Amino acid sequence: RTNNRKLAKTLYTIYENGGEISHAIDVYALFAVSSKPTIMADDETDQARLEEWWDSIDGVSFMQAAVRWSLVFGNAVFEKVLSRNGKDIVRLKYIDGRTVEIKTDDYGIFGGITQVLGIAEEGLEFKPEEIVNIRIFPGADDVNGLSLLNRNLDNIRRKVKVDEGTSAAIYRHGYPK
């Protein structure tokens, strides 16, 4: 993933329009949730509490979204929504990847995100402890994950050009006069 919201919008449009690569991403996401993850803890009470919490946040939907959007954008970022007492996570809310700019310090260490909405120059700041940042394929020495779509962008663009050229040739020469 790059911190380029224009690229993120392009990746989203490609995913949204469908095709083989979009279907592949959907299959990955569905495969990830095809069986409930095994939750393990040292004692049965903790395990029961973790399983109850997982179900309360709709962990299956969270996992499916995490896989889908990390394959599209490279990262899937979720806001930790806390209970009224501010101690318990009651929900993990997806932050649209088209609005996310990942922040790093001078040494490349993850420093949270900025969510930029609309045409606003300044966005909402999220500290690392306020979010969950999922990367299926981490980049080497980078806080950004590798996007399945971005890694195939040149191939996708070539395929579109070939399809458009083939279509134009058929319209030009393929019909009897």
Side-chain angles (χ1 to χ4, degrees):
R1 168 179 181 88
T2 69
N3 280 333
N4 181 337
R5 286 182 288 130
K6 184 177 180 184
L7 174 61
K9 287 177 184 175
T10 299
L11 297 176
Y12 181 82
T13 300
I14 290 169
Y15 173 74
E16 185 179 49
N17 287 336
E20 295 90 358
I21 199 154
S22 297
H23 298 307
I25 288 170
D26 291 341
V27 167
Y28 273 114
L30 289 171
F31 181 72
V33 298
S34 62
S35 62
K36 184 177 177 179
T38 303
I39 296 174
M40 300 174 67
D42 289 336
D43 71 43
E44 291 177 17
T45 305
D46 287 344
Q47 183 166 341
R49 287 181 57 224
L50 283 171
E51 288 173 351
E52 182 181 323
W53 174 78
W54 181 256
D55 291 339
S56 76
I57 65 159
D58 192 9
V60 171
S61 293
F62 158 72
M63 221 162 103
Q64 187 175 14
V67 171
R68 175 185 298 121
W69 299 122
S70 64
L71 291 174
V72 171
F73 298 116
N75 297 58
V77 181
F78 296 83
E79 177 185 0
K80 296 177 185 176
V81 179
L82 301 177
S83 62
R84 292 183 197 269
N85 68 14
K87 293 181 181 180
D88 301 317
I89 298 171
V90 295
R91 185 171 163 228
L92 294 169
K93 179 183 169 200
Y94 174 66
I95 299 174
D96 186 344
R98 294 171 290 178
T99 66
V100 170
E101 292 180 359
I102 295 175
K103 298 185 306 185
T104 59
D105 66 13
D106 293 338
Y107 301 101
I109 305 298
F110 182 71
I113 67 158
T114 302
Q115 182 183 26
V116 181
L117 301 168
I119 59 171
E121 289 296 318
E122 296 193 19
L124 303 170
E125 302 286 328
F126 290 90
K127 297 175 185 166
E129 59 272 12
E130 297 173 322
I131 60 173
V132 175
N133 181 31
I134 306 288
R135 300 175 299 157
I136 302 288
F137 302 113
D141 296 333
D142 193 356
V143 297
N144 296 307
L146 299 174
S147 162
L148 187 63
L149 284 179
N150 195 25
R151 290 165 39 196
N152 287 285
L153 200 52
D154 289 340
N155 291 337
I156 292 166
R157 288 181 173 146
R158 269 193 297 277
K159 183 180 181 321
V160 168
K161 283 184 181 179
V162 168
D163 289 351
E164 288 172 347
T166 302
S167 178
I170 289 171
Y171 279 111
R172 194 170 42 247
H173 303 290
Y175 293 107
K177 295 181 184 181

